[in-house]
Structure formats: structure tokens, C-alpha cells
């Protein structure tokens, strides 16, 4: 499969927004990255992305349907996306300028706990390591977690060969030859469980052709990921530097918390003021305390899935 969606230049456009009103006892929304020209994908490729997004939705939904915790639901969803090589996270992640992978991930429980890792070169599922940092360490943010640490937490390591796909090798070669601008394709999820608890999780290989050591918004709590019970949860994708400058995920929840703004208005204001105004593109999935879902982006496209009350909606 060649010609993935993140290989084209994505200038910000007007904000596209989809909203699902609360109704079910639980709710989940996920994204598989923003940006790119979907027109370059064949119908076979589009269905592969749709299948990957739907499978990830089902993984998280299964957790919520049996009364599980929002943190378990976003973890299950992101693990599924990390294992699917189509997306820029875990296996199939974007390559750095040196041709390797450096993976970032973070997770936040709406009760206030969080965990994050950055520049991980061998954690098979970065989101599981971020979660272990949250639950099994005294820390919040670890860079390049060691194999020994992973083994101590019972988590699997993998060699670089596991993560690097032929598609990504070719993509990097084309970009380094000047053919395409670096694009993105992170994965993430937000959930509200049937007890009203919120969570958010995000995982990425970063920007294609990024320098070794470059870290974007994904593992930064408040920039790419944020959750606060009683208000909202957000997972972002796009040009990480702009999301960090705008502290985008937190900015949305802060508008809700301090100004009483509704989710859709908060999302629109933050995207317009923190991203579009800076000429930066991206998108996000978000949820409020009632289970209302808002999926929005100012990039031409965003891969996402959520339930609109009647059926599963998959955006490609
Ligand atoms: N936000 C990610 C980063 O800057 C990239 C992406 O969303 O695809 O590392």
C-alpha cells in the first residue's frame, strides 16, 4: 500500500466540526491523524483505514459496554491503533531523519493522574508504558524508558525492525529527496464511562523526517492530551509545535471550566485562535462530562470514529 494520507501539505482550512449529543450511558471517540489529501487514496486503501478505525472503536466500546473504566477503554483503543501499521503510532510509525522510530505517548485519567513517555525506541506499545508510568511509578513523564524498566513492568519490547515498514522507508526517501512535505497521523481516544469518569490517550511516531530528539505535543499533558472529570477530555493530532504553544487540549477544558463554555464552542474557539490564526493545521476528538462528543479539525481531513446515537460514524 502506497500513497498514505499524511504525505501532502495540509494548510489550515475552516474548522470542520461533527457533534454527537449525549444519550448512551457511555461514549467514545477516536482519531487516526489529521492532514493529507484523501483523494490520493484508492478505495481499497480507504476501506483499510475505515476497518482499522472501526476495529479500534469496537475495542474501546467493548470495555465500556461491560461497565469498564474510561482509562481502560482509551488504552484498548490506542493499543489497537498502535498495532495497525496504517497509522503513525507503534508499528508503522513515521521515521525520523535518521530512519528510525522515536515514539511518544501519554494518557490522562480525569481524576487527575497522568503518565507519558517520549523518544521511546523499543516499547512495543508506547501507550501501555505511559499507563505504567501513571500507575506504577512516582513519575509522570519519562524519556526513552529502558528495556529493564519495561521488563520490570511486564511490558514487551520490540526491535526497530518491528516498527519500520516498507511504506515508511519509501516515504522518508521521497521526503528527503524533496518530494513531499513532512505530514502527520497520530492516534488517540477520549472516553466517558458509565460512571461518568473521563480519560484521554494519544500515541505517535511524531512528524515524518523529524530530527532525532524532537518531541511534539502528543506526550505533553495539556498540549496533546488532557482529561478532567466534570468537564472534558481531549486528544489532539496535527502540527505539534502549534499545539504546544496553544496548550490546546487544556485550553479547551479551561474554557469549559472557567468560562462555562460548551464543548463545541470551546473547541471552535481554541482551534481558530490557537491553530488557524497561526497558520497551523490539525484536529482533535473531545468529550464532555455528559458524554457529548465533538470531533473537529482545520486540516483538510481527519481519520476518526465515534457513535452518533444511531450508528458508528467513521471519517476518512
Ligand atoms: N502531533 C504530532 C506531533 O507533532 C504529530 C501528529 O499529530 O501526527 O508529534
Amino acid at each position: 500500500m502506497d500513497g498514505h494520507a499524511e504525505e501532502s501539505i495540509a494548510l489550515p482550512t475552516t474548522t470542520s466540526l461533527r457533534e454527537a449529543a449525549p444519550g448512551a450511558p457511555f461514549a467514545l471517540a477516536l482519531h487516526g491523524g489529521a492532514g493529507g489529501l484523501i483523494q490520493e487514496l484508492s478505495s481499497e486503501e480507504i476501506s483499510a483505514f475505515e476497518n482499522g478505525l472501526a476495529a479500534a472503536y469496537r475495542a474501546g466500546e467493548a470495555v465500556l459496554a461491560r461497565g469498564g473504566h474510561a482509562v481502560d477503554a482509551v488504552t484498548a483503543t490506542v493499543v489497537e491503533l498502535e498495532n495497525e501499521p496504517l497509522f503513525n503510532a507503534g508499528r508503522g510509525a513515521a521515521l525520523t531523519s535518521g530512519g528510525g522510530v522515536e515514539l511518544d505517548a501519554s494518557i490522562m485519567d480525569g481524576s487527575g493522574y497522568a503518565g507519558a513517555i517520549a523518544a521511546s525506541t523499543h516499547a512495543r506499545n508506547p501507550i501501555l508504558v505511559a499507563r505504567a508510568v501513571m500507575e506504577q511509578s512516582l513519575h509522570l513523564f519519562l524519556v526513552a524508558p529502558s528495556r529493564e524498566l519495561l521488563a520490570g513492568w511486564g511490558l514487551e519490547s520490540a526491535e526497530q525492525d518491528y516498527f519500520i515498514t516498507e511504506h515508511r522507508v519509501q516515504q522518508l526517501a521521497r521526503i528527503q529527496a524533496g518530494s513531499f512535505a513532512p505530514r502527520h497521523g497520530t492516534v488517540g481516544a477520549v472516553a466517558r464511562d458509565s460512571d461518568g469518569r473521563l480519560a484521554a490517550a494519544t500515541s505517535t511516531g511524531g512528524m515524518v523526517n523529524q530530527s532525532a530528539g524532537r518531541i511534539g505535543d502528543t506526550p505533553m499533558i495539556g498540549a496533546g492530551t488532557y482529561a478532567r472529570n466534570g468537564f472534558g477530555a481531549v486528544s489532539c493530532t496535527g502540527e505539534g509545535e502549534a499545539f504546544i504553544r496553544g496548550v490546546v487540549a487544556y485550553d479547551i477544558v479551561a474554557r469549559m471550566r472557567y468560562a462555562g463554555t460548551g464543548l463545541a464552542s470551546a473547541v471552535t474557539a481554541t482551534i481558530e485562535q490557537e491553530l488557524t490564526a497561526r497558520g497551523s493545521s490539525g484536529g482533535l476528538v473531545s468529550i464532555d462530562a455528559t458524554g457529548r462528543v465533538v470531533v473537529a479539525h482545520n486540516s483538510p481531513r481527519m481519520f476518526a470514529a465515534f457513535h452518533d446515537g444511531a450508528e458508528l460514524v467513521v471519517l476518512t
Side-chain angles (χ1 to χ4, degrees), residues 88 184-186 204 206-207 210 214 216-218 236-241:
N88 174 16
H184 32 78
T186 296
T204 192
M207 305 292 279
Q210 68 182 15
R214 179 264 180 188
D217 60 312
T218 300
C236 302
T237 174
E239 297 172 25
E241 284 70 12

Side-chain angles (χ1 to χ4, degrees), residues 95-109:
L95 304 183
T96 66
S97 56
V101 296
E102 293 186 4
L103 307 177
D104 305 332
S106 68
I107 188 163
M108 187 161 191
D109 180 330

Side-chain angles (χ1 to χ4, degrees), residues 27-28 63-64 67-76 107-110 131 190-194 196-200 229:
L28 173 79
V63 173
L64 296 170
H69 198 294
V71 168
D72 291 326
V74 295
T75 304
I107 188 163
M108 187 161 191
D109 180 330
R131 184 159 175 183
V190 293
R192 176 198 186 272
D193 65 30
S194 47
R197 295 169 299 209
L198 303 178
N229 287 346

Side-chain angles (χ1 to χ4, degrees), residues 231 253-262:
F231 296 96
V253 178
R255 287 176 193 274
M256 300 169 74
R257 186 171 169 210
Y258 300 122
T261 309

Side-chain angles (χ1 to χ4, degrees), residues 4-315:
H4 284 207
E6 66 271 48
E7 293 181 335
S8 52
I9 299 170
L11 295 172
T13 60
T14 51
T15 307
S16 304
L17 186 138
R18 296 286 297 266
E19 189 170 6
F26 57 81
L28 173 79
L30 64 93
H31 67 78
L37 288 181
I38 199 74
Q39 291 88 331
E40 291 178 2
L41 295 178
S42 66
S43 57
E44 187 194 40
E45 289 170 322
I46 290 172
S47 5
F49 278 104
E50 284 171 348
N51 292 340
L53 295 164
Y57 181 88
R58 298 292 177 211
E61 181 190 48
V63 173
L64 296 170
R66 58 172 183 263
H69 198 294
V71 168
D72 291 326
V74 295
T75 304
T77 300
V78 170
V79 164
E80 190 81 23
L81 293 164
E82 287 179 341
N83 292 344
E84 168 53 72
L86 287 172
F87 299 101
N88 174 16
R91 181 152 180 261
L95 304 183
T96 66
S97 56
V101 296
E102 293 186 4
L103 307 177
D104 305 332
S106 68
I107 188 163
M108 187 161 191
D109 180 330
S111 67
Y113 292 97
I117 62 163
S120 170
T121 49
H122 46 259
R124 191 178 179 100
N125 284 110
I127 200 65
L128 295 181
V129 188
R131 184 159 175 183
V133 174
M134 173 170 79
E135 294 177 342
Q136 300 188 52
S137 84
L138 295 174
H139 313 304
L140 191 151
F141 199 162
L142 286 185
V143 174
S146 69
R147 285 173 194 271
E148 293 68 34
L149 201 56
L150 300 185
W153 285 332
L155 297 176
E156 256 183 279
S157 288
E159 300 307 319
Q160 284 272 303
D161 286 357
Y162 165 77
F163 301 103
I164 299 173
T165 61
E166 186 50 33
H167 162 70
R168 292 295 182 189
V169 172
Q170 288 175 15
Q171 178 191 51
L172 182 66
R174 285 196 301 273
I175 287 170
Q176 291 185 335
S179 297
F180 294 98
R183 291 307 314 147
H184 32 78
T186 296
V187 308
V190 293
R192 176 198 186 272
D193 65 30
S194 47
D195 289 318
R197 295 169 299 209
L198 303 178
T202 317
S203 181
T204 192
M207 305 292 279
V208 183
N209 201 33
Q210 68 182 15
S211 300
R214 179 264 180 188
I215 295 168
D217 60 312
T218 300
M220 295 189 191
I221 296 300
T225 306
Y226 192 72
R228 190 170 188 112
N229 287 346
F231 296 96
V234 182
S235 170
C236 302
T237 174
E239 297 172 25
E241 284 70 12
F243 283 77
I244 296 168
R245 289 186 196 106
V247 202
V248 166
Y250 179 74
D251 191 66
I252 291 166
V253 178
R255 287 176 193 274
M256 300 169 74
R257 186 171 169 210
Y258 300 122
T261 309
L263 181 62
S265 304
V267 165
T268 304
T270 296
I271 288 180
E272 285 174 2
Q273 292 170 30
E274 303 302 331
L275 299 177
T276 310
R278 293 194 172 105
S280 298
S281 78
L284 56 95
V285 290
S286 60
I287 198 162
D288 74 8
T290 68
R292 176 178 303 278
V293 163
V294 169
V295 173
H297 54 100
N298 72 350
S299 51
R301 300 281 174 165
M302 182 169 75
F303 295 137
F306 63 100
H307 204 282
D308 70 0
E311 58 182 4
L312 177 64
V313 178
V314 178
L315 305 179

